[in-house]
Amino acid sequence: MDQSKEQRILNSVSYNAVKGDPESVLNCIDKYCGQYEWAMNVGDEKGIILDKTVEEADPTVALEMGTYCGYSAIRIARLLKPNARLLSIEFNPEFIPIAKEIIEIAGLSEKVTIIEGHSQDIIPQLKKKYEVETLDFVFLDHWKERYAPDTILLEECGLLRKGSILLADNIVYPGAPEFIKYIRSNSRYECTSYPTFLEYMKVEDAMEKAVYMG
Ligand SMILES: O=C(NCCCCCn1ccc2cnccc21)c1cc(-c2ccc(F)cc2)cc(O)c1O
Ligand SMILES: [Mg+2]
């Protein structure tokens, strides 16, 4: 059976990246997906917004929804302080071994825990099963129609604290209109929009930052 796009991305990283060097893994994926096969990594342009937001949050515990090949997990984990950790939820089982291998090549396996499942099932388990008190940073990059209900679920599970920072990808393309409606009309969030471009394309997109005020 011929290889998947995600396996070809792993091949390219495995062959071209410098082991233990997260920047070289990110550059390799961006080059491959920019030149050969588009893929839904947050990419190098939106990646800078992600970097800045992670640096602002300086999280001890971070959550990501939508692991895919591990690109944003590497972007986040490479900025984490010692003993800080990233939990990343992925529901598509075929992506998980590929993401694990790419994160391993970046030398960041100790900082990243990939959890297989649907966000709506995993979020309620984070406190007890994954020993999370509250989340300092959340990156939303999974099903766009789940951004709003999962944000509400994070609140209901007591996983957000005063100052928790949420960052959502794809606000314009593919779009997350229900999330925008919810978060911008909710006085408990301070929202900022970052107009940008879709990964590897000259197509407009945006990211939304929402700080939970408790
Ligand atoms: O769909 C996107 N991402 C989500 C993929 C599926 C996530 C599934 N999943 C993962 C964890 C998880 C937990 N619980 C439930 C479900 C879960 C996406 C799409 C595009 C895109 C596509 C086509 C196009 F022409 C232009 C743009 C660009 C992006 O940046 C994206 O992020
Ligand atoms: Mg995305």
Side-chain angles (χ1 to χ4, degrees), residues 38 40-43 46 65-66 72 139-142 144 147 168-171 173-174 198-199 205 207:
W38 184 91
M40 61 182 173
N41 316 115
V42 74
K46 293 193 280 184
M65 293 182 274
S72 48
F139 182 47
L140 297 94
D141 195 20
H142 60 326
K144 310 314 162 192
Y147 284 17
D169 190 23
N170 308 116
I171 294 306
Y173 199 100
L198 181 68
E199 50 267 31
D205 194 5
M207 300 181 94

Side-chain angles (χ1 to χ4, degrees), residues 16 25 60 76-77 82 106-107 127 146 164 169 174 182 185 197 202:
N16 297 304
V25 172
T60 301
I76 295 165
K127 283 205 179 230
R146 286 298 314 170
S164 291
D169 190 23
Y182 172 74
S185 63
F197 293 90
K202 291 187 176 59

Side-chain angles (χ1 to χ4, degrees), residues 3-174:
Q3 290 200 312
S4 69
K5 172 168 71 175
E6 292 73 26
Q7 280 168 325
R8 289 192 291 273
I9 291 171
L10 170 53
N11 296 345
S12 175
V13 168
S14 175
Y15 189 75
N16 297 304
V18 174
K19 303 282 179 288
D21 178 353
E23 297 298 332
S24 85
V25 172
L26 296 173
N27 292 336
C28 174
I29 295 173
D30 286 328
K31 251 183 86 197
Y32 185 84
C33 295
Q35 290 174 4
Y36 301 107
E37 298 189 84
W38 184 91
M40 61 182 173
N41 316 115
V42 74
D44 42 355
E45 253 181 303
K46 293 193 280 184
I48 291 169
I49 299 166
L50 174 58
D51 290 354
K52 289 202 173 86
T53 311
V54 172
E55 285 165 349
E56 176 189 346
D58 188 21
T60 301
V61 183
L63 173 69
E64 162 181 83
M65 293 182 274
T67 314
Y68 190 44
C69 292
Y71 179 94
S72 48
I74 290 166
R75 283 209 87 109
I76 295 165
R78 85 193 203 287
L79 299 174
L80 295 180
K81 57 198 170 202
N83 301 321
R85 61 191 171 115
L86 170 67
L87 301 173
S88 184
I89 306 173
E90 179 51 58
F91 102 104
N92 186 328
E94 73 171 84
F95 297 156
I96 291 176
I98 291 170
K100 279 184 176 164
E101 183 53 36
I102 290 177
I103 291 165
E104 174 62 24
I105 292 169
L108 292 166
S109 297
E110 302 308 304
K111 291 179 166 291
V112 183
T113 303
I114 297 177
I115 304 169
E116 178 174 350
H118 279 238
S119 48
Q120 66 201 52
D121 301 327
I122 303 298
I123 288 170
Q125 297 177 326
L126 289 178
K127 283 205 179 230
K128 289 208 174 73
K129 187 169 179 187
Y130 295 94
E131 300 181 335
V132 174
E133 269 176 55
T134 53
L135 297 165
D136 307 307
F137 176 76
V138 181
F139 182 47
L140 297 94
D141 195 20
H142 60 326
W143 285 334
K144 310 314 162 192
E145 67 278 6
R146 286 298 314 170
Y147 284 17
D150 285 342
T151 299
I152 294 165
L153 191 53
L154 288 168
E155 292 169 35
E156 289 171 348
C157 293
L159 284 161
L160 301 182
R161 48 104 175 147
K162 210 182 283 297
S164 291
I165 297 181
L166 310 181
L167 183 69
D169 190 23
N170 308 116
I171 294 306
V172 169
Y173 199 100

